[in-house]
Amino acid sequence: MDVSFTTDGTAYQFHPARAFAGGDAAPVIVLIHGLGLTMGTWDDHIEELSLDHRVLRYDLAGHGQSIAPHRTPDLTLYSDQLANLLDALAIAQCAVVGFSLGGMINRRFAMDYPDRVGALAILNAPHERGDEAQALVEQRVRDTHKGGPGATLDATIERWFTPSFIAENAATIARVRGWVLANDADIYTACRMVLATGVIELIRPSPPITHPSIVITCANDTGSTPSMTEAIAAEIAGARAVIIPQLQHMGLMENPALFTTPILAFLAEVRK
């Protein structure tokens, strides 16, 4: 599918529902990728998710083919980007699936535009950190500011993927590395700061998030830990936490079905 662009420069793809009898009436799932990545993160999720849903994926401002942000990035800028994209496509409401930084953006979006959210899936997203963990992510911001997107990339890849996946999937690893290295150094640094400090406005969210929500992470994700996932779920009434065994931060690329299956089951329950 070709990439389309909104008038304000957001690159997106809008996949039709392949088996939904109502066609354009099919419910919409929006997919938000993580820091330094692109909408290509979701390539292996589209076939399953688009069976009974229209699926909208896009590049965050300053990532992939979307234009640079018009001001210093923060969660509100990215929340507004999504609202503008939905306006451009005349989408009144959707389920919003966010990965990592995207799992912060979709929470901010639910707080800013509650009527536009039908459900949330928050994947491998950070939350309140201890002092040591917070110092570590802030040091990564300084390292990126000094050395650019590649400064910590080798260590990042090792945090994101299991050793066996790295060894056996050289083309995928090279593709992910290419996405990260293509980022503008200043924008990437600023977005890394959002990842480091933006959680503050999401802890015990005000206004509270009341939408049906599923919160998922992987057992060996060191930056978006199982305890963070449990804490996020505890702050959203009725939210469900799911911990996927063995995998690390980018488990959604290693084994997409472990994510699409619980997300689709959750959305089916929400619609009942």
Side-chain angles (χ1 to χ4, degrees):
M1 173 181 284
D2 292 337
V3 174
S4 301
F5 295 86
T6 62
T7 56
D8 59 357
T10 293
Y12 70 92
Q13 292 181 323
F14 197 12
H15 303 265
R18 295 177 291 112
F20 188 82
D24 289 345
V28 175
I29 297 174
V30 175
L31 305 175
I32 312 176
H33 64 77
L35 172 69
L37 306 175
T38 76
M39 67 175 113
T41 302
W42 305 104
D43 281 355
D44 293 332
H45 297 245
I46 299 300
E47 182 175 1
E48 190 69 21
L49 293 179
S50 66
L51 187 64
D52 292 309
H53 298 81
R54 291 176 289 162
V55 179
L56 173 63
R57 58 174 171 167
Y58 67 102
D59 288 334
L60 294 172
H63 294 68
Q65 298 182 64
S66 289
I67 65 168
H70 57 81
R71 60 175 176 82
T72 301
D74 58 16
L75 291 179
T76 298
L77 179 141
Y78 286 114
S79 173
D80 291 345
Q81 181 191 12
L82 176 53
N84 292 338
L85 175 58
L86 296 180
D87 287 345
L89 298 174
I91 298 170
Q93 192 179 80
C94 54
V96 190
V97 178
F99 166 71
S100 192
L101 176 61
M104 296 168 64
I105 294 167
N106 71 345
R107 281 181 276 164
R108 182 73 259 177
F109 183 75
M111 295 160 69
D112 294 341
Y113 300 93
D115 293 342
R116 309 202 72 167
V117 176
L120 291 175
I122 303 161
L123 315 181
N124 300 83
H127 201 50
E128 188 169 15
R129 304 180 181 95
D131 292 343
E132 183 176 348
Q134 186 61 35
L136 180 60
V137 295
E138 291 180 9
Q139 181 59 52
R140 290 174 188 151
V141 176
R142 292 189 288 272
D143 292 342
T144 302
H145 177 69
K146 182 178 179 180
T152 63
L153 186 52
D154 289 343
T156 296
I157 293 294
E158 291 178 359
R159 285 198 317 276
W160 283 359
F161 296 97
T162 61
S164 60
F165 188 87
I166 293 172
E168 297 167 9
N169 295 273
T172 297
I173 298 302
R175 189 179 184 212
V176 172
R177 290 179 65 92
W179 289 339
V180 175
L181 292 171
N183 283 275
D184 174 89
D186 291 338
I187 295 172
Y188 184 70
T189 301
C191 289
R192 193 154 217 175
M193 180 60 79
V194 176
L195 186 70
T197 62
V199 291
I200 294 170
E201 65 193 77
L202 301 174
I203 299 165
R204 293 171 289 279
S206 180
I209 296 171
T210 59
H211 307 81
S213 299
I214 186 170
V215 193
I216 303 175
T217 198
C218 299
N220 295 324
D221 189 335
T222 59
S224 304
T225 63
S227 62
M228 289 180 181
T229 285
E230 298 283 357
I232 293 169
E235 293 179 0
I236 303 173
R240 177 188 314 167
V242 175
I243 311 301
I244 293 172
Q246 299 181 330
L247 298 179
Q248 296 175 198
H249 190 57
M250 290 285 275
L252 80 170
M253 289 190 72
E254 288 204 30
N255 195 330
L258 293 181
F259 289 79
T260 57
T261 297
I263 289 169
L264 288 172
F266 161 69
L267 293 177
E269 290 179 15
V270 169
R271 289 197 300 272
K272 288 181 180 177

